[in-house]
Amino acid sequence: MTNTPWDARLAALIVRPLCNSWVTPNHLTTLRLVTGLGAALCFGSGEWLNLAAWLWVMSTFLDHTDGELARMSGKQSRGGHFYDLATDAVATVGLFIGIGWGLTSSHLGEWTLLMGGVAGIAIAIIFHFRNEIEQRSGKIATKQPSFAGFEPEDTLYLLPLIMWLDGLILFLLAATLITPIIAILVGWQYFAQPNKN
C-alpha cells in the first residue's frame, strides 16, 4: 500500500461500498471512456474548455476505480483488463487530438492539429509497447516511477489549473515534444527486454 499512488488509494476507498452491488468494473471503465471522450469533444469545440478540463480530471480518476473494484470484488478478467487498456488509449489519444483540433483558431493555426496528432500517435505507440511488455513480462515490468505517491501521468490532473493560467498551447507544445521521446524510450525498453515466452 505504501507504493500505491494517492489517487488509487482514494479510488479504493470510494469503490469499496460497490463491491457487493450491481456495479461492475466494466461499468466504471465505460464511464471513464464517456467522460474522456466528452473531454476530447469539449476541447475540440474550442469553447467548452473549462468543462473539458474537469471532465478529464474525472476521467483520469475513474481510470483507477475499475481496477480497484475488480481487485476488491474478485471480478478481475482478461477481457475487462483489455477493455480498460483500450479505453485508456482511446481516451488519452482523443484528448490530445481534441486539444489540437480546438486550438486551430489560435495563432498557431493548423499546426496545432499536427501537434495534437503527433502527441496522440506517440501516446498510442506508448500504450502499444507497454501492453506488449506487460504481456511478455507481467504488470510489474510496466510499473511507472513515482515520487511521494504521485506518478508522471498525474500531471494531467493539472488541466484545470493549466486552463486557468491560459496555458493550453504551451501544454500541447510540451506534449508534442515529450511524448515522442517517451515513445522511443518505451520502444527501446520493449526491444531490449528478453522474451520470456
Side-chain angles (χ1 to χ4, degrees):
M1 189 69 170
T2 54
N3 293 326
T4 304
W6 291 107
D7 51 0
R9 295 184 204 188
L10 181 58
L13 287 173
I14 290 174
V15 301
R16 189 174 302 279
L18 302 176
C19 284
N20 296 316
S21 74
W22 56 270
V23 178
T24 69
N26 283 349
H27 289 137
L28 298 176
T29 305
T30 301
L31 188 56
R32 188 280 205 267
L33 178 62
V34 169
T35 52
L37 291 179
L41 289 172
C42 287
F43 273 122
S45 75
E47 296 180 12
W48 302 92
L49 302 182
N50 288 319
L51 175 60
W54 285 107
L55 279 172
W56 185 258
V57 167
M58 185 184 303
S59 184
T60 301
F61 180 72
L62 284 166
D63 183 31
H64 293 280
T65 60
D66 52 2
E68 294 299 329
L69 180 59
R71 279 185 285 279
M72 287 190 290
S73 63
K75 295 177 181 175
Q76 294 170 295
S77 71
R78 188 173 181 84
H81 180 60
F82 179 78
Y83 181 42
D84 179 47
L85 290 175
T87 295
D88 291 347
V90 169
T92 310
V93 171
L95 170 72
F96 286 103
I97 291 175
I99 290 173
W101 186 278
L103 288 174
T104 54
S105 60
S106 71
H107 64 277
L108 293 179
E110 301 294 321
W111 284 104
T112 60
L113 199 53
L114 176 63
M115 292 163 67
V118 167
I121 290 168
I123 293 285
I125 291 169
I126 292 166
F127 272 99
H128 170 71
F129 279 129
R130 284 175 58 85
N131 182 49
E132 290 295 316
I133 292 169
E134 182 176 324
Q135 295 299 316
R136 178 188 286 180
S137 304
K139 194 165 183 67
I140 191 70
T142 60
K143 179 76 175 148
Q144 295 187 66
S146 63
F147 176 75
F150 296 98
E151 296 178 324
E153 66 185 27
D154 291 338
T155 55
L156 292 176
Y157 284 120
L158 298 176
L159 268 174
L161 177 61
I162 290 167
M163 294 306 310
W164 184 66
L165 295 172
D166 197 25
L168 196 57
I169 291 176
L170 186 59
F171 171 76
L172 181 60
L173 177 60
T176 305
L177 297 173
I178 294 170
T179 55
I181 295 171
I182 296 172
I184 290 168
L185 292 174
V186 176
W188 176 83
Q189 180 187 3
Y190 170 74
F191 287 111
Q193 196 173 46
N195 193 336
K196 295 182 181 179
N197 293 335

